[in-house]
Amino acid sequence: MKHRIVVLGAGYAGAFAAGNLARRLSPADTEITVVNAVPDFVERMRLHQLAIGQDLAFRKLADVFAGTGVRLRLARVTGVDPERRTVAVTGEDGDGELAYDTLLYALGSSVARHGVPGVAEYAFDVTGRSSALRLRERLAGLGEGGTVLVVGEGLTGIETATEFAESRPDLSVALAARGELGAWLSPRARRHLRHAFDRLGITVHEHTGIEAVEPARAIAADGTSIPADVTVWSAGFAVHPIAAASGLEVAETGQIVVDRTMRSVSHPDVYAAGDCAYAIGENGRPLPMSCASAGFTNMQATAAIIARLTGSEVPTTGLKYHGNHISLGRRDAIFQMVDGDVRSKSWYLGGRTAARLKSGVLKGAGWGIAHPTFGMPKRKRRLATAPDRAGVRVAA
């Protein structure tokens, strides 16, 4: 019987990992299935562009995996049973169950509402295509002078606010930050960021925590009312509770606790990659939920799976950040270099050059997903075998 590898999720981590596994492992020994809820690859880093009305081309996953040998199952994951090694799914074909020998859990994350009243009912977000399209429809209905409040001073919040202000100068855009805008940036990069906000006419409410969202306003912790025809919630990410409910060991965040090779510390036939992995970087801190982390963790997970299945020494890939890249609309950006402790270095790149670099990064990521086996070693490796307890030869 072939060794069954099931990959949950076809985002930046899952899609590339599936292609890597297909390129490296012999189809005579392995069967690779990807489970994803939607038929397209969604470029999450571009969803704020989609929300403001820009047209984006979505790649069909069937085309992405064509010719790779990867099987695509369009369904939503509803549960994982790591003891029985099965995944429960539901889709157009109804409910079903997939058995696995090795599971790569890469279901990503969604918006973190933090229990703030009104967020679920009245706020919008850009963490998924459906939510971005819902926001797109709402923004299209706003006339001149409409007010938009972006909550959250992280990368998503900054990129969303600047993209909206540049694309729709007829709107009044504001951003609510719990702390100081760009506090983690170097002094020069922070000045660049503030100049960009001033140039785009974005109002910044610093040291302002939002404690309630209503249909036409947000309420700050000090009771201040901030007008908002549309509130966009970008105050962090949260993972789906499926992992915690399955019995896998998870952190307080709900992320799967993994070792240095992205292997679950509680269930050795389960690996995690992307936002749902609680992985410790080279600086001793948990990796943040980000596209960069998806790249680090999927490369490490696939390398470990391939090595263990083929009886090779498990390599370690780098888990170190080199910088943050922040779009400030289509014609401006900041690339901030960081040290090993993720503290900003004095050097940064800004302006059109940084914007072109960021555009290249996005295009490269999209192209890499569309060609998941490109550049990988062509050798198809056979699986090693080892006797099980009953004396039957099985894949290691």
Side-chain angles (χ1 to χ4, degrees), residues 79-83 86 100 103 105 241-250 256 266-267 270:
V80 175
D81 187 337
E83 306 306 326
T86 59
Y100 67 83
L103 180 70
Y105 190 110
I242 286 177
S246 72
L248 293 164
E249 184 172 335
V250 299
I256 298 172
S266 62
H267 293 79
V270 176

Side-chain angles (χ1 to χ4, degrees), residues 61-328:
L61 289 172
D63 296 334
V64 168
F65 294 124
T68 66
V70 174
R71 301 181 179 185
L72 176 63
R73 177 72 178 269
L74 294 179
R76 181 171 56 86
V77 177
T78 57
V80 175
D81 187 337
E83 306 306 326
R84 294 176 54 238
R85 293 193 297 188
T86 59
V87 177
V89 300
T90 185
E92 292 182 356
D93 299 330
D95 297 340
E97 191 173 80
L98 293 173
Y100 67 83
D101 298 301
T102 297
L103 180 70
L104 178 55
Y105 190 110
L107 288 178
S109 62
S110 58
V111 65
R113 299 188 175 96
H114 304 298
V116 175
V119 172
E121 295 84 359
Y122 306 118
F124 297 79
D125 67 83
V126 292
T127 58
R129 186 171 67 170
S130 60
S131 58
L133 288 173
R134 175 173 165 263
L135 174 56
R136 180 187 178 112
E137 182 178 2
R138 179 70 180 94
L139 290 172
L142 280 185
E144 184 175 354
T147 54
V148 177
L149 174 67
V150 178
V151 180
E153 69 272 30
L155 303 186
T156 302
I158 291 172
E159 292 195 339
T160 299
T162 52
E163 194 77 45
F164 287 11
E166 180 182 86
S167 298
R168 291 285 305 273
D170 60 310
L171 299 178
S172 176
V173 179
L175 182 142
R178 280 192 171 274
E180 179 186 350
L181 179 67
W184 74 94
L185 295 171
S186 64
R188 291 177 60 232
R190 196 179 312 143
R191 286 195 296 271
H192 186 115
L193 177 64
R194 289 187 174 278
H195 289 158
F197 269 61
D198 291 342
R199 171 174 54 82
L200 293 168
I202 302 170
T203 300
V204 181
H205 303 278
E206 292 185 312
H207 307 290
T208 302
I210 300 300
E211 296 201 345
V213 176
E214 297 180 0
R217 66 174 184 169
I219 309 300
D222 62 0
T224 301
S225 175
I226 303 175
D229 296 316
V230 174
T231 297
V232 183
W233 195 261
S234 58
F237 304 109
V239 298
H240 198 284
I242 286 177
S246 72
L248 293 164
E249 184 172 335
V250 299
E252 291 183 1
T253 57
Q255 297 168 288
I256 298 172
V257 180
V258 295
D259 63 15
R260 180 59 178 78
T261 69
M262 303 304 130
R263 196 180 203 178
S264 164
V265 298
S266 62
H267 293 79
D269 46 12
V270 176
Y271 293 76
D275 288 354
C276 56
Y278 188 80
I280 304 301
E282 293 178 10
N283 59 5
R285 302 174 187 173
L287 292 178
M289 296 185 189
S290 69
C291 182
S293 294
F296 299 152
T297 55
N298 98 70
M299 287 189 290
Q300 178 61 80
T302 52
I305 291 171
I306 292 165
R308 290 192 173 112
L309 292 182
T310 58
S312 306
E313 182 178 351
V314 178
T316 55
T317 61
L319 300 177
K320 180 180 178 181
Y321 273 82
H322 297 284
N324 291 316
H325 210 155
I326 314 166
S327 293
L328 304 173

